[in-house]
Each structure stands twice: as structure tokens, then as C-alpha cells.
Amino acid sequence: MLKHKILNTLIVLLGCMLGNSAMAKEEIIVSEPAMVDGCYQITTTGELVWLRDQVNSGALTENLKAELLNDLSMGQDDLIYYFMNGDSYYQTVVDTIWYPIGTEEHPFTGTFIGNDHQISNIFYSYDSIPTDAGLFGYVSGGNISNLTVNGSGFKASWYSGAIAGRLMNNSVVNRCYSRCNAMFANKDSVGSCAGGIAGYIDATSKVSNCAYSGESTARPDTATYCGGIAGKSDGIITSCIAFNLNELMAWHSSTTSAICYDPVSVSNTFYQTVSYNPWGGDYYTTLEDPAATLLTDYDLYSGRICYLLNGEQNDTIWYQDLSSDYRGPIPSRSAIGDSLPVIQLECGLYVNPIDTMTGCYYTIRLTDSIPYYGAEDLKATYVTYHRAINSAHKWHSICLPFTVYASMLDNFDVYTIESRTYVTDNVSGNSIMVFNMQQADSLAPGQAGFLRTKADVTTDMIELYAPDDICTLAESVSPTTITSEWKTSGSFTGGIVGPIEGATAIYNVYYLSNDAMWQATTAVTAAPYRAIVNYVAATGAPPVRIGFAIDNIGVTGIEELDNEAEEEVPVYDLNGNVLTTLPKSSLYIKNNQKTISR
């Protein structure tokens, strides 16, 4: 009974919101917009509705041009939950909320310039006719640019996209941003298409410099063809990105794609890994797109993708969003919050310029995918470092070009190597070399150190920021002496570490892996911003693996050694050669101890 009462109340509320005389939102007053130099000036939702009605009636066809001068909202933001959940009563009511601009009988053939403004909270749902859903429906020879459609949802029987249902006959969509929650198409219409920008792009049409982010759910969930940019495209998709996709779903799982199903032409286009649900229920799988380039969150944060999207284009089109947690590229200067362009420095970093004359930049984001090659007097007001880690490991090496304070890290303690020492292994009784670690309050710029996950903490991310208002990055690493034979160093760029030519080279470099320092007996590729340890003596044979001790107690990296399979501990003959088998009645060296086999 209560369920029926709530449902009836919802229907009444929806009816009131959509009624002619009792709307919960401000009533839309339809009026003709002003025209300046042959271009309609759209300033209100009523003027946008007037333009739509004129196009769909066939009254406006030739040489139509309009531009948006304000952000607009259709005022139905509180209906999104019911739209996405497919409530049948809701669908019945919302059929009349919005009709797309342009039908197959009277297509949109003109030019619409968004001027980096956004249109929000548009909802359209229709299972029969018309066949196209979006802000625009059927576009033929039209040009739509510099526009954001935000927080909206569309459903049609055949073609559905935030910007347009279909792009036909040399139509172009450029610099548009879709932040919509749902694009549906009817699964019973075999060949139906749903996409983040357009449902379908024909062979003569083009989508360029567009972004799609399904903020709540990017879910064209009953279409035959489904993609982040277009459901299906026989035309051109270039310099686009689909990100923050929480769910993509098509009637046929093989026809769902992060960008577009089986496109004819895709270039300079990127996407994040997408989890999608092909059959409903709790089953999800990872979606890939062979026509585009897979990227990570850190590619977005660093500014690298923003720079690549601009490519060789003469004008700056893509900007880095600085106003939200996303902080990725958007094809607009001001549609969603603050944004800045991205440039690449000779040192390899992607930065947002503020005053290039003084060498100061707004933000620099260091990640493993963006090595730092050093630059004189490189300054920024906001410097961050992001790194994914294995939560099963306790120790993590680090070497950054700015000061790292322990007080900045909630999940880690900061350590440096104080000395090299020996402890007795509780299992074998052997004397084993370890590094004795000293807790530190900070690491200087370029100083190699180690982070240790705090007790009872599980984390898979290291996130650091430079504490200074204006941070000057160190140009190079500063090695630190442990003993006359042992030194800590590191790298901002990463690369190959391993033996150096010479008789004692095999003992030269140690790198962190699995909570211990390993001797690089062969070439090993180290990631940027890591610490390494160098053994610089001309003679001697240090162990293959060295663990950590804190104040000479609580050794780590050694217990793992004792518990692992015996063959993983290298065994040497008296000349220092690695033995693959143990000959009977012979001396060999293991764990720095001479032992006889029997």
C-alpha cells in the first residue's frame, strides 16, 4: 500500500512539474530570439525551444545560423533517477519534456555555435517515433561546435546521442563535451545506435575534438551498437576522448566499444578502461577499443593527453580542467569550471603556463609515465606526485625533485638507510646482511629514501604534493653515503639498472622489489622517481638480496627469503659462479656462508 502511495505521489509531482499552469520550475516562455548579422542570439530556454519548433516545422531551413550566449537549463535535474531506472510512469510523462532539433523530414541543416556554454538537464524519451534523440535529432549538412550538454538523458527507438541522434550528409560536430548520464536506443530495433556524442555518423560526416564523460552512468544499454563517442560510425572520428565511463552496455556485447563499434576512421583518440555489463545481473567485463589508445588516470592528471589531443592543430582547443577531481582534458575553456592550456617542456613535463617569462607554471603533475629530466629554475605553484603501489608490500622506494615531509603522509612513515649491518637469521642461524633503517622527518629534494606503510593500513596509492607556495624542482639526484662501500642514489627518469662492465660489476646496483633490495645481476628496468643502492667496492661478493631492519630489530625482506623455495636463493662456487645444481662432496657459498654438500 505504501509503495502505491509513493508511486502515485511521484506521478502527481511529475504532473505538477510538467503541467502548463503549475510547474515546479520556472515556466518556459517561448519567444523569438534577436538576430545580429544574420545569426540568432539564443539567451533563454524559450528562445531555444522557438528555434527547435521553427526547424522541426520546416519554417527555418536555408542558411540558418544561431549562437548560444548563456548557459541554459531545462530545469528537470531532479528527474534523472527515474529516467535512468526506466520507470514506465516516468517515461509516459516525460515524452513531452524535450523534442530534439531536427527530424528526418525537416533536418537541422544550419550552424549552431555554443560559445563554450552548456545546456543542462534535457530529457527526452520516445520508443516509437521520432527515431532520433539528443539535443539535436537528425542533422544533415549541419555544423555544431563549442557546446557542452550536461546532466541529461535521451532515449529513442533508433539513434541516440547527447549532441545528435544522426549526423548525415557532411555534418560536423567539433569541440563538444557530453557529460550525460544515459543514452538509450531500443533493443528491438535491430541496428539501433547509442553514443556519447552521436548515435550514428555517416560516411561523409565527422566528429572532432569531442569528449564524453558519463558522470553517473554512461549507459546506452539496449542499443545494438554502443560506444563512448558514437554507437556506429562510417565517417571520421578524430582527437576525441571517452573517460569516466562507469558502465557501457549493448544488447550484443560484441558490438559495444569504448569509442565506437567497428569505425571506419579513428585517429588521435583515447579512452579509459571501461567495465561493461553485456547481459545484466552482476557480471561485468573489461571493454577495450583497438581503434583508439588506452590511457590511465595519471595520463589524464599529468596533462599529457591534453597535449596530445591538441596535436598539430593551429589553435589551442583542449584545456586541462583544474576545477574538479577529474582534472583531465576538456575541449572548452570555461564550460565546466577553471581550465588552462598545456604545454610540454624540453625536460619532458606537461605543464600549465602562468608566466613563462619567469619560468613559473600553475601545476606540474609527476607520475611514473612522465619522467622528469631536470630543468633550470623550474617553478610551479602546485606540484603533485601520484603513484599506484602494490598494497601487499610494506616498503616503497622514492626519490622526488621536491621536499617530502613525513607530516604530509597519512599512510606512510619515511625512512633512510642509516647503515649496513648483520643480523642472525632465526631459521638458519646464519649471519645475514641487512640495511638498518632510520625514521626521518623529511627527504630533501633529490634525496633517495623509503616509505613504509603504517601498521594496520592498506593502501594502493602514494599521493604527495610540494608543500611550498612556489616550488622549485631540483635538477638532479643527490647521492648519499651509507659507508665507504655503499651509497644511496635514485632517478627522476627511470631506465635500465644493472651490471656495469668490469670484474666486480655484478655487485654494483640494488633495487627494491618485494620488500627487499635485490642485486641487479642482469639489466632491470626501473620506474622513475625510485631509489637505488650502489655497491662501489672493487672487491667482495655481497648477497643477492638485502632486507631491512629498524633499529636492528624487526627484520623485513628476510623472512620472505627463508620461506621461499630453496632454489630461489642463488648458490655460488668458490670462484663466484652461479651453480644450477650442487655437486656431491663439494664446497659452495650460500647466504654468504661456506657450506659443504653431501
Side-chain angles (χ1 to χ4, degrees):
M1 190 69 177
L2 179 59
K3 179 179 179 180
H4 289 294
K5 183 175 181 180
I6 293 174
L7 184 57
N8 289 333
T9 302
L10 171 63
I11 296 171
V12 171
L13 287 174
L14 289 172
C16 290
M17 293 170 69
L18 301 172
N20 293 327
S21 60
M23 294 184 66
K25 305 294 182 180
E26 182 179 352
E27 185 174 357
I28 295 175
I29 300 175
V30 179
S31 60
E32 181 177 354
M35 180 178 284
V36 176
D37 296 329
C39 180
Y40 287 106
Q41 310 291 292
I42 307 298
T43 61
T44 67
T45 55
E47 292 173 350
L48 182 67
V49 170
W50 180 90
L51 181 74
R52 185 270 317 279
D53 292 344
Q54 295 299 304
V55 171
N56 292 358
S57 66
L60 285 179
T61 55
E62 300 296 326
N63 302 317
L64 169 61
K65 186 176 182 180
E67 63 176 332
L68 188 62
L69 301 187
N70 295 320
D71 291 344
L72 302 181
S73 173
M74 299 304 289
Q76 306 299 333
D77 53 308
D78 47 355
L79 302 185
I80 186 62
Y81 172 82
Y82 301 98
F83 183 88
M84 292 182 60
N85 285 274
D87 184 281
S88 59
Y89 291 97
Y90 170 74
Q91 291 178 14
T92 300
V93 175
V94 302
D95 281 348
T96 57
I97 287 185
W98 172 256
Y99 289 106
I101 304 172
T103 66
E104 193 164 358
E105 182 182 2
H106 299 296
F108 178 79
T109 60
T111 298
F112 190 93
I113 304 169
N115 288 320
D116 287 340
H117 289 293
Q118 63 175 314
I119 299 176
S120 303
N121 306 317
I122 306 174
F123 299 95
Y124 172 79
S125 176
Y126 217 111
D127 283 339
S128 54
I129 55 173
T131 59
D132 302 279
L135 175 62
F136 293 83
Y138 191 98
V139 181
S140 178
N143 191 309
I144 304 164
S145 64
N146 297 72
L147 177 66
T148 294
V149 177
N150 186 37
S152 301
F154 305 95
K155 182 177 181 181
S157 57
W158 281 95
Y159 306 100
S160 182
I163 304 300
R166 273 185 286 179
L167 299 175
M168 311 293 287
N169 304 315
N170 296 296
S171 293
V172 175
V173 172
N174 183 48
R175 293 192 69 176
C176 288
Y177 186 16
S178 167
R179 290 164 54 100
C180 293
N181 301 68
M183 273 70 60
F184 294 81
N186 194 332
K187 69 176 184 296
D188 296 324
S189 303
V190 178
S192 59
C193 303
I197 299 296
Y200 172 70
I201 306 168
D202 83 346
T204 65
S205 299
K206 178 180 179 179
V207 171
S208 60
N209 297 301
C210 289
Y212 175 58
S213 168
E215 275 204 307
S216 178
T217 306
R219 196 180 168 205
D221 80 347
T222 54
T224 303
Y225 304 108
C226 171
I229 297 298
K232 197 172 189 310
S233 173
D234 294 318
I236 295 174
I237 297 174
T238 184
S239 297
C240 292
I241 183 172
F243 58 90
N244 196 28
L245 304 178
N246 296 325
E247 182 182 338
L248 280 172
M249 187 169 152
W251 186 244
H252 302 290
S253 61
S254 61
T255 58
T256 301
S257 178
I259 296 297
C260 178
Y261 169 70
D262 193 24
V264 171
S265 175
V266 172
S267 61
N268 196 37
T269 293
F270 306 88
Y271 72 98
Q272 282 181 297
T273 300
V274 180
S275 293
Y276 81 112
N277 181 338
W279 300 293
D282 296 326
Y283 176 78
Y284 285 81
T285 187
T286 300
L287 181 67
E288 298 180 351
D289 195 320
T293 302
L294 175 66
L295 52 86
T296 67
D297 292 343
Y298 309 112
D299 290 324
L300 297 176
Y301 298 152
S302 68
R304 174 175 173 265
I305 299 303
C306 185
Y307 179 81
L308 293 177
L309 283 166
N310 274 315
E312 301 298 323
Q313 299 180 93
N314 293 327
D315 298 326
T316 299
I317 292 175
W318 291 88
Y319 295 83
Q320 194 81 358
D321 178 13
L322 305 175
S323 63
S324 67
D325 292 337
Y326 159 54
R327 292 184 173 271
I330 54 175
S332 167
R333 186 62 197 264
S334 59
I336 308 292
D338 299 326
S339 58
L340 284 173
V342 176
I343 62 173
Q344 185 180 24
L345 303 178
E346 291 184 2
C347 64
L349 291 178
Y350 300 92
V351 298
N352 305 120
I354 289 183
D355 186 353
T356 55
M357 295 297 293
T358 62
C360 188
Y361 301 94
Y362 175 75
T363 181
I364 294 175
R365 299 177 179 89
L366 305 178
T367 74
D368 285 356
S369 61
I370 308 295
Y372 168 53
Y373 292 94
E376 184 176 358
D377 295 330
L378 183 60
K379 301 181 179 68
T381 58
Y382 186 74
V383 181
T384 63
Y385 174 66
H386 299 267
R387 173 169 139 202
I389 60 174
N390 187 334
S391 59
H393 297 158
K394 283 291 186 181
W395 289 95
H396 312 280
S397 72
I398 197 163
C399 184
L400 292 173
F402 60 84
T403 303
V404 175
Y405 289 102
S407 58
M408 296 167 17
L409 295 157
D410 294 331
N411 297 325
F412 304 93
D413 292 317
V414 178
Y415 285 88
T416 57
I417 299 177
E418 181 182 32
S419 61
R420 179 219 61 182
T421 187
Y422 288 87
V423 298
T424 300
D425 177 22
N426 294 330
V427 177
S428 67
N430 295 332
S431 180
I432 300 175
M433 182 188 296
V434 297
F435 288 128
N436 196 37
M437 309 301 290
Q438 175 68 45
Q439 192 165 351
D441 293 330
S442 64
L443 297 173
Q447 180 184 3
F450 297 83
L451 304 182
R452 187 174 189 271
T453 308
K454 292 181 179 179
D456 301 323
V457 169
T458 300
T459 180
D460 58 3
M461 182 66 63
I462 295 174
E463 295 180 285
L464 287 163
Y465 61 91
D468 303 321
D469 291 338
I470 299 294
C471 175
T472 300
L473 299 185
E475 294 183 55
S476 59
V477 173
S478 301
T480 303
T481 298
I482 303 171
T483 69
S484 59
E485 298 177 340
W486 295 89
K487 298 181 185 297
T488 57
S489 185
S491 173
F492 300 151
T493 61
I496 301 296
V497 298
I500 301 173
E501 294 297 329
T504 62
I506 195 170
Y507 312 123
N508 188 259
V509 180
Y510 283 76
Y511 64 96
L512 179 65
S513 179
N514 296 318
D515 289 333
M517 299 301 293
W518 286 73
Q519 181 189 113
T521 55
T522 60
V524 175
T525 301
Y529 312 111
R530 302 301 199 273
I532 59 173
V533 176
N534 295 109
Y535 177 70
V536 295
T539 61
V544 171
R545 181 159 34 175
I546 303 175
F548 299 113
I550 299 174
D551 297 328
N552 288 318
I553 59 175
V555 180
T556 62
I558 300 300
E559 296 85 351
E560 293 84 347
L561 178 65
D562 296 329
N563 294 330
E564 288 181 357
E566 188 74 5
E567 59 268 20
E568 290 192 18
V569 182
V571 178
Y572 303 87
D573 64 19
L574 297 184
N575 294 319
N577 300 312
V578 177
L579 298 176
T580 57
T581 60
L582 294 180
K584 292 184 178 180
S585 302
S586 65
L587 285 172
Y588 63 90
I589 299 174
K590 180 179 179 182
N591 288 332
N592 273 351
Q593 300 293 317
K594 289 182 180 180
T595 306
I596 187 169
S597 62
R598 300 186 186 279

